[in-house]
Amino acid sequence: MDNQKLELKSISEILGMNFFIPSYQRGYRWQEEEVKALLDDIKEFFAKNPKEGDFYCLQPLVVKKDEKQYRVIDGQQRLTTIYLILTYLKEVLLDEYSIETIYSLDYETRDESAEFLEKIENSEIKKDNPDFYYMAEAYNVIKEWFKEKGQNREMTKRKFIEILIDKKDLIRFIWYELPEYEDETEVFRRLNIGKIPLTNSELIKGLLILNFKEENEKITLVNEWDNIEYKLQNDNFFSF
């Protein structure tokens, strides 16, 4: 990647943006350990009284802009987790900052995921849909984390928003926007081949999807793949 294309973007700078998750991306799969680690890292970084110029890095967010939105090639997991955190904090964001829109997440082959995210505060955990299950679990982890930290007076909603929003340069993404001539699918391959967070099966799924041109074929493959993944979570079936 061309280093000249790299920049840093704060959370406040991406508010109101529209992000699109292409079909070759895996679904949201962060679990309690990853979600808590992110929350704890941000809290502990702030507790160290960072000096001017210091910032907490949210790792790369690789995107490609089209006419309406930014297509996310890498960084979906953290982007979704930050969205879930801000959703939990949105009452304070609205009352004290008049922020009504966080940013939008839309999906090429998971139409219902965007709607589920928007209503996640009132959503039940659905084990029959892997994406919904992990999103709802992550949101509950966030709720319990703030409940615990609030009781211990370690961290309040207002203080966390101050870290994310008020102190604009404290929490930042490494932002890389692909130029028009660069092929996003090739970048996806380069980023994820041999990358530990992406399992072999998820990489195979992504590469398979890249070979389909028709939208209905992509949707069918994603749905079938999710069904297989769900079935294999049954210990008895997997043992068989």
Side-chain angles (χ1 to χ4, degrees):
M1 291 183 181
D2 185 351
N3 288 333
Q4 293 180 346
K5 299 293 183 181
L6 291 172
E7 60 180 304
L8 297 170
K9 278 192 183 293
S10 65
I11 300 297
S12 58
E13 287 181 287
I14 68 171
L15 293 178
M17 287 185 175
N18 300 316
F19 293 98
F20 181 79
I21 313 301
S23 58
Y24 54 76
Q25 288 272 16
R26 62 171 167 170
Y28 181 72
R29 292 296 181 270
W30 267 24
Q31 300 183 51
E32 179 178 356
E33 182 180 356
E34 290 97 340
V35 176
K36 278 188 174 180
L38 177 60
L39 291 164
D40 287 338
D41 283 352
I42 293 175
K43 178 182 75 68
E44 290 166 12
F45 175 76
F46 183 73
K48 293 177 181 177
N49 296 315
K51 300 176 182 178
E52 185 177 354
D54 292 345
F55 66 93
Y56 179 85
C57 181
L58 286 168
Q59 303 301 325
L61 184 56
V62 183
V63 299
K64 187 170 185 177
K65 190 174 184 180
D66 61 23
E67 294 179 359
K68 299 179 181 179
Q69 56 216 346
Y70 288 96
R71 299 173 63 86
V72 179
I73 288 85
D74 193 48
Q76 177 203 170
Q77 305 297 316
R78 274 185 174 78
L79 187 65
T80 302
T81 305
I82 292 294
Y83 179 94
L84 291 169
I85 293 171
L86 292 173
T87 296
Y88 178 72
L89 301 173
K90 73 177 185 179
E91 184 177 339
V92 180
L93 287 171
L94 181 60
D95 290 346
E96 299 189 23
Y97 292 82
S98 299
I99 296 176
E100 297 182 12
T101 303
I102 301 171
Y103 48 79
S104 68
L105 290 170
D106 203 2
Y107 300 79
E108 186 171 7
T109 51
R110 295 179 173 91
D111 293 338
E112 296 179 353
S113 293
E115 182 179 355
F116 184 81
L117 271 177
E118 289 179 1
K119 301 178 180 178
I120 198 162
E121 299 146 285
N122 303 313
S123 299
E124 297 179 358
I125 294 178
K126 298 182 179 181
K127 293 186 177 181
D128 60 336
N129 185 306
D131 284 4
F132 293 179
Y133 173 78
Y134 284 102
M135 288 172 179
E137 282 280 14
Y139 187 77
N140 285 338
V141 169
I142 292 165
K143 284 199 301 185
E144 290 303 313
W145 188 88
F146 275 98
K147 182 179 179 181
E148 177 188 341
K149 302 306 176 187
Q151 288 175 344
N152 299 334
R153 296 185 178 181
E154 291 183 68
M155 181 60 64
T156 63
K157 291 182 181 181
R158 179 65 186 79
K159 177 60 69 175
F160 208 84
I161 291 174
E162 180 182 340
I163 298 170
L164 294 182
I165 306 297
D166 282 356
K167 300 181 181 298
K168 295 183 178 180
D169 296 327
L170 197 59
I171 311 296
R172 306 190 209 176
F173 278 104
I174 298 175
W175 177 275
Y176 181 78
E177 186 174 335
L178 298 184
E180 290 184 8
Y181 63 82
E182 196 153 9
D183 183 356
E184 68 178 80
T185 58
E186 179 58 31
V187 172
F188 172 80
R189 289 189 179 96
R190 295 205 309 266
L191 286 170
N192 290 295
I193 290 177
K195 182 179 176 183
I196 293 173
L198 192 62
T199 65
N200 288 336
S201 64
E202 288 163 341
L203 179 59
I204 291 169
K205 181 179 72 171
L207 294 176
L208 283 173
I209 290 172
L210 294 179
N211 291 320
F212 286 98
K213 302 300 181 183
E214 297 296 329
E215 186 66 24
N216 61 329
E217 292 178 337
K218 293 181 181 180
I219 293 173
T220 299
L221 177 59
V222 170
N223 289 336
E224 289 299 323
W225 195 282
D226 286 345
N227 287 334
I228 292 171
E229 185 179 84
Y230 171 66
K231 290 291 186 183
L232 289 176
Q233 290 175 4
N234 183 318
D235 291 338
N236 292 330
F237 180 77
F238 185 80
S239 298
F240 172 78

